[in-house]
Amino acid sequence: MATDYYAVLGVQRDASQDEIKKAFRRLARELHPDVNPDPKTQERFKEINTAYEVLSDPQKKQMYDLGGDPMGGAAGQAGFGGNFGNFSDIMDAFFGTAAQRGPKSRTRRGQDAMIRLEIDLKEATFGTTKEIQVDTATICKTCDGEGAAPGTSAQTCDMCRGRGEVSQVTRSFLGQVMTSRPCPQCQGFGTVVPTPCPECAGDGRVRSRRTLTVKIPAGVDNGTRIQLAGEGEVGPGGGPPGDLFVEIREKPHEMFQRRGDDLHCTVTVPMTAAALGTQVPLETLDGMQEVDIRPGTQSGQSIPLHGHGVTHLRGNGRGDLIVHVEVQTPLKLDTEQEELLRKLAELRGEERPSGQFQPGQQGLFSRLKDAFNGR
Ligand SMILES: [Zn+2]
Ligand SMILES: [Zn+2]
């Protein structure tokens, strides 16, 4: 099985040593077991180590370029677990001997970030694309995330010799006790950066403002979070970035109230129109619609306009727009109107209606009281 070491590192076949080194460093930061303990990632980490071991060594590289396999077909096995000799400078500079127990990596995954985005009902219904400004830590371009000033590099810590911890023998009543503690000079990293990058003060990242384009799918609601992978904070030491979450805030609509994917509104019609029937124009999210008020419509009745609500976020179709009707009784009547109404009431035999009472809260309350009193 011949592995394409160039492809593993993502470099061209004519890449310079410097480019190979840079590509390796970038990948190593991203895939280091301290950052990314996932077994698949560790497998990939071994791969890039093997690829780098071959391509960074002029002899091995030549052999490989001529079609041989300097790793003896054992790619993926060799190159890790002991033989760091060929690129110990790199390993020391970055992780010391971090493959086992030892110094901790300077590189850590960045944190997730969150930003709120306000949209209106129409945008929530049909989806939209928005430009947002985000302030996050991004990789420092001056030092490429390494934290060392250009032209310098991290050095193996001389106090702990790159181990990241120092041991101390103390005497106690139990005899001699050996204790280990993180190296105070390098804070356990195993390396020191003698000349920190002036741009990021050695952190490997800087804060910067970016503009991102976010696609908002149709059907989002208040509180919906859209995850943008890798757009969060870059980690310390130029570590891989966290994710960015965009939380949706929906501005209240002046006419429609949203409940789930249905919209509700109220239309007021005069008593005569409710009795005779009419059509009322309504500006919906899809444009003008005629709401059909049937003859004999009662106050409180609702008229659904199917498919004129908000798009379902998962699945097809849309909710409904529900128009609640409120019938208005005329407040003031002139003489002629009053006469006409009296005439109508007479015709309908409604001059002295007995009314139809229904049990309301009061009825329920007295029944409860009866129950308490054992009646
Ligand atoms: Zn820097
Ligand atoms: Zn140290």
Side-chain angles (χ1 to χ4, degrees):
M1 171 195 87
T3 314
D4 184 349
Y5 295 131
Y6 291 98
V8 168
L9 291 182
V11 294
Q12 300 291 324
R13 293 194 80 84
D14 58 357
S16 68
Q17 273 305 317
D18 199 45
E19 285 171 322
I20 289 168
K21 190 164 149 183
K22 268 205 161 152
F24 168 71
R25 285 181 172 196
R26 190 165 297 128
L27 287 168
R29 269 204 303 270
E30 222 171 274
L31 305 170
H32 192 275
D34 279 5
V35 177
N36 230 324
D38 168 55
K40 253 191 186 160
T41 313
Q42 287 190 45
E43 209 43 55
R44 183 103 170 82
F45 185 61
K46 284 182 194 173
E47 263 177 42
I48 63 157
N49 272 291
T50 308
Y52 185 67
E53 191 177 341
V54 173
L55 298 183
S56 64
D57 181 322
Q59 265 186 320
K60 286 184 182 164
K61 183 174 186 294
Q62 193 186 19
M63 186 175 161
Y64 176 69
D65 288 343
L66 291 171
D69 189 349
M71 304 310 284
Q77 301 288 323
F80 208 73
N83 185 16
F84 290 106
N86 294 325
F87 54 103
S88 60
D89 57 331
I90 303 294
M91 293 308 285
D92 278 352
F94 280 87
F95 331 112
T97 46
Q100 290 92 32
R101 182 167 170 266
K104 56 186 183 185
S105 170
R106 287 189 179 276
T107 307
R108 267 171 294 148
R109 183 185 185 268
Q111 291 189 319
D112 294 337
M114 190 165 84
I115 190 167
R116 292 209 169 86
L117 177 65
E118 202 173 59
I119 61 170
D120 61 32
L121 179 63
K122 199 158 186 170
E123 291 170 323
T125 302
F126 298 113
T128 183
T129 305
K130 287 265 178 188
E131 298 225 310
I132 54 167
Q133 301 265 313
V134 283
D135 280 297
T136 60
T138 54
I139 199 148
C140 173
K141 289 202 173 76
T142 306
C143 63
D144 204 21
E146 284 160 32
T152 71
S153 59
Q155 313 266 311
T156 305
C157 172
D158 55 13
M159 189 180 235
C160 62
R161 296 202 181 81
R163 283 172 53 235
E165 53 179 30
V166 286
S167 306
Q168 209 176 10
V169 179
T170 48
R171 284 186 155 285
S172 76
F173 66 95
L174 291 170
Q176 288 197 332
V177 180
M178 179 131 110
T179 52
S180 289
R181 61 194 170 97
C183 170
Q185 180 165 297
C186 63
Q187 282 84 46
F189 294 123
T191 58
V192 287
V193 180
T195 323
C197 167
E199 185 69 30
C200 63
D203 194 28
R205 50 185 186 162
V206 287
R207 290 212 79 80
S208 73
R209 170 168 282 211
R210 295 170 290 150
T211 304
L212 285 178
T213 306
V214 192
K215 213 175 160 311
I216 312 290
V220 294
D221 203 348
N222 241 341
T224 304
R225 285 181 182 183
I226 297 161
Q227 185 174 10
L228 302 176
E231 298 287 1
E233 310 273 354
V234 160
D243 298 336
L244 176 68
F245 291 89
V246 179
E247 190 178 278
I248 299 295
R249 282 289 153 104
E250 191 183 299
K251 275 182 266 187
H253 190 271
E254 55 179 9
M255 194 174 341
F256 302 130
Q257 207 195 4
R258 180 172 175 178
R259 273 178 238 155
D261 288 339
D262 288 339
L263 298 174
H264 296 261
C265 71
T266 303
V267 62
T268 305
V269 292
M271 180 185 82
T272 46
L276 298 171
T278 187
Q279 291 204 319
V280 185
L282 173 66
E283 181 71 47
T284 70
L285 297 176
D286 306 276
M288 247 351 162
Q289 295 278 324
E290 293 286 334
V291 182
D292 199 18
I293 311 281
R294 302 254 176 81
T297 295
Q298 305 296 311
S299 199
Q301 207 167 315
S302 55
I303 303 164
L305 301 182
H306 295 293
H308 286 286
V310 179
T311 311
H312 301 309
L313 185 57
R314 289 175 191 85
N316 296 320
R318 290 170 61 184
D320 300 332
L321 169 57
I322 295 151
V323 181
H324 299 266
V325 180
E326 202 181 280
V327 175
Q328 222 169 22
T329 309
L331 283 174
K332 272 189 180 161
L333 300 171
D334 62 23
T335 324
E336 192 185 355
Q337 289 165 355
E338 196 186 327
E339 261 174 38
L340 273 170
L341 271 180
R342 283 198 187 285
K343 180 79 184 156
L344 178 66
E346 197 184 309
L347 281 171
R348 293 179 57 86
E350 292 170 348
E351 297 138 296
R352 277 190 64 85
S354 59
Q356 287 177 349
F357 294 96
Q358 274 144 31
Q361 288 301 335
Q362 190 58 51
L364 180 72
F365 182 69
S366 54
R367 277 203 301 279
L368 278 174
K369 212 167 71 176
D370 288 352
F372 273 116
N373 294 337
R375 269 181 248 172

